[in-house]
Amino acid sequence: MTELSKKEQLYELIRANPFISQQDLAAELGLSRSAVAGYIATLVRERRLLGRAYVLPDNRPILCVGAANLDRKLRAEGTLAMGTSNPASGVESFGGVARNIAENLARMGAAVSLITAVGNDSSGRALLAHADSVGIDTRGAFKLDDAGSGTYTAVLDGDGQMVVALADMALYDRITPAFLDTRQQQRTGASLIVADLNLTHDAIATLQLGAARDSVSLILVAVSEPKMNRLPASLAGVRLLILNEGELAARVGRALEGEADLAAACREVQAQGAEDVVVTLGARGVLFTVPGGAERLDAPPAEVVDVTGAGDAFAAALVLSLHSGGADLALACRRGLQLSAMTVECRQTVCPQLAPDTFGALIQE
């Protein structure tokens, strides 16, 4: 057996199981631990492996960081009346912005991993089991014995539009810079990182610095106007910021009236360091930055059943477009609008009809 063939056999074992230990590699190949370490060091120098985690460059996942909740949706059977009881029907599902984006991506065939926090409770176990079942790598999840899993409760009117939502998500404050340091292996090995603003200001800043250091694109997704204060003042290293017009107004600290105001606010955010900005406008479509300004696309017609998860589907399509090497933000937004329309037409937070060929079927021109 030549040295080259031993090295190649070791490489194939790692391809089959990227988490195999050096001891198991030594036993499998009849080598000493020091010899295995030497071969691994050579493969790292050759850039065929990326670091201690044996991350293969042709299989780097998209990393989603942020919330994974138990969603409760209550839909009124008629017109909502404030201050009294309303007849309604309710459903529970798995949610959370980062988790929803991860599930959309996984159902469309992308390799994806998730860093989140869950309680060591039945909800947390169910969240992780479901994520595993759809192909999301959850080994980076933070399991907390002293906290309950996150919950999001939305009240919808009879037309499926959200009236109010209540979010219990304090446990995501436990995803600190120190915790993220323990997941450095996953962050360095990611092909792209997408994070939601359920994370703390310091956690977002840590992801920014790490992504810039590791030359990994970072996409940030806003979640609400009150949490816009979690966005650092400098957006250096942010490839794309996705937010709605209320969240954009909160960022720039003023009311925004009309497309000219929105475009000016986007330029202001770009001056803070973000490469591009996408502003979702609900049924009016989306506005996105282009060199020298901004453009808008109309939303395609859709029969609204439930709007929950539509924004996360939109974000997932943008993420997958950029991950696939496309620099055409207009095309990415058209894909996002189509995926969002598919999502509002079903009752589930993530459309169950998504499949690997869905993304290829979305509009190409």
Side-chain angles (χ1 to χ4, degrees), residues 103-148:
E103 183 177 345
N104 276 281
L105 291 169
R107 288 186 180 276
M108 290 189 291
V112 59
S113 58
L114 176 66
I115 292 177
T116 189
V118 297
N120 188 13
D121 53 19
S122 59
S123 295
R125 288 188 288 274
L127 279 160
L128 296 183
H130 179 266
D132 290 338
S133 73
V134 298
I136 301 169
D137 182 349
T138 63
R139 286 173 290 186
F142 191 8
K143 301 170 187 175
L144 300 167
D145 291 326
D146 58 347

Side-chain angles (χ1 to χ4, degrees), residues 46-109:
E46 294 172 351
R47 298 294 292 171
R48 297 175 68 192
L49 298 178
L50 306 179
R52 292 172 49 209
Y54 314 146
V55 178
L56 300 164
D58 59 348
N59 194 35
R60 298 170 68 190
I62 298 169
L63 174 60
C64 299
V65 189
N69 310 320
L70 184 65
D71 280 0
R72 299 183 177 96
K73 291 183 281 188
L74 300 172
R75 180 168 178 164
E77 294 180 4
T79 302
L80 274 171
M82 298 296 105
T84 188
S85 176
N86 289 264
S89 58
V91 295
E92 288 189 344
S93 62
F94 301 113
V97 172
R99 194 219 68 86
N100 290 347
I101 292 172
E103 183 177 345
N104 276 281
L105 291 169
R107 288 186 180 276
M108 290 189 291

Side-chain angles (χ1 to χ4, degrees), residues 5-90:
S5 61
K6 280 287 189 183
K7 184 179 75 171
E8 293 305 319
Q9 279 199 344
L10 180 143
Y11 181 70
E12 290 305 317
L13 287 172
I14 290 172
R15 284 183 63 87
N17 178 12
F19 290 88
I20 191 171
S21 69
Q22 290 192 12
Q23 183 61 52
D24 288 342
L25 287 168
E28 184 75 21
L29 296 172
L31 297 171
S32 66
R33 283 283 298 275
S34 60
V36 167
Y39 287 130
I40 289 171
T42 299
L43 290 166
V44 170
R45 285 195 300 271
E46 294 172 351
R47 298 294 292 171
R48 297 175 68 192
L49 298 178
L50 306 179
R52 292 172 49 209
Y54 314 146
V55 178
L56 300 164
D58 59 348
N59 194 35
R60 298 170 68 190
I62 298 169
L63 174 60
C64 299
V65 189
N69 310 320
L70 184 65
D71 280 0
R72 299 183 177 96
K73 291 183 281 188
L74 300 172
R75 180 168 178 164
E77 294 180 4
T79 302
L80 274 171
M82 298 296 105
T84 188
S85 176
N86 289 264
S89 58

Side-chain angles (χ1 to χ4, degrees), residues 42-265:
T42 299
L43 290 166
V44 170
R45 285 195 300 271
E46 294 172 351
R47 298 294 292 171
R48 297 175 68 192
L49 298 178
L50 306 179
R52 292 172 49 209
Y54 314 146
V55 178
L56 300 164
D58 59 348
N59 194 35
R60 298 170 68 190
I62 298 169
L63 174 60
C64 299
V65 189
N69 310 320
L70 184 65
D71 280 0
R72 299 183 177 96
K73 291 183 281 188
L74 300 172
R75 180 168 178 164
E77 294 180 4
T79 302
L80 274 171
M82 298 296 105
T84 188
S85 176
N86 289 264
S89 58
V91 295
E92 288 189 344
S93 62
F94 301 113
V97 172
R99 194 219 68 86
N100 290 347
I101 292 172
E103 183 177 345
N104 276 281
L105 291 169
R107 288 186 180 276
M108 290 189 291
V112 59
S113 58
L114 176 66
I115 292 177
T116 189
V118 297
N120 188 13
D121 53 19
S122 59
S123 295
R125 288 188 288 274
L127 279 160
L128 296 183
H130 179 266
D132 290 338
S133 73
V134 298
I136 301 169
D137 182 349
T138 63
R139 286 173 290 186
F142 191 8
K143 301 170 187 175
L144 300 167
D145 291 326
D146 58 347
S149 296
T151 62
Y152 171 87
T153 303
V155 177
L156 311 177
D157 63 21
D159 296 323
Q161 299 290 335
M162 185 180 72
V163 177
V164 67
L166 302 173
D168 179 6
M169 302 186 187
L171 81 165
Y172 303 120
D173 291 350
R174 305 277 288 275
I175 301 178
T176 61
F179 170 75
L180 289 172
D181 285 345
T182 69
R183 301 300 189 263
Q184 183 61 46
Q185 167 182 311
Q186 286 181 287
R187 292 162 53 201
T188 302
S191 58
L192 180 151
I193 297 173
V194 53
D196 70 44
L197 294 191
N198 287 301
L199 301 173
T200 66
H201 174 282
D202 291 346
I204 294 293
T206 297
L207 292 174
Q208 279 182 256
L209 290 172
R213 179 193 62 230
D214 300 328
S215 298
V216 176
S217 292
L218 174 64
I219 296 176
L220 297 181
V221 183
V223 298
S224 68
E225 293 178 36
K227 289 187 176 179
M228 287 303 294
N229 61 4
R230 300 186 171 204
L231 197 60
S234 171
L235 300 178
V238 175
R239 170 63 185 88
L240 177 65
L241 174 64
I242 304 172
L243 72 178
N244 64 30
E245 51 192 323
E247 292 156 352
L248 178 60
R251 174 65 179 185
V252 299
R254 64 180 183 275
L256 302 174
E257 302 290 341
E259 288 185 27
D261 277 3
L262 291 171

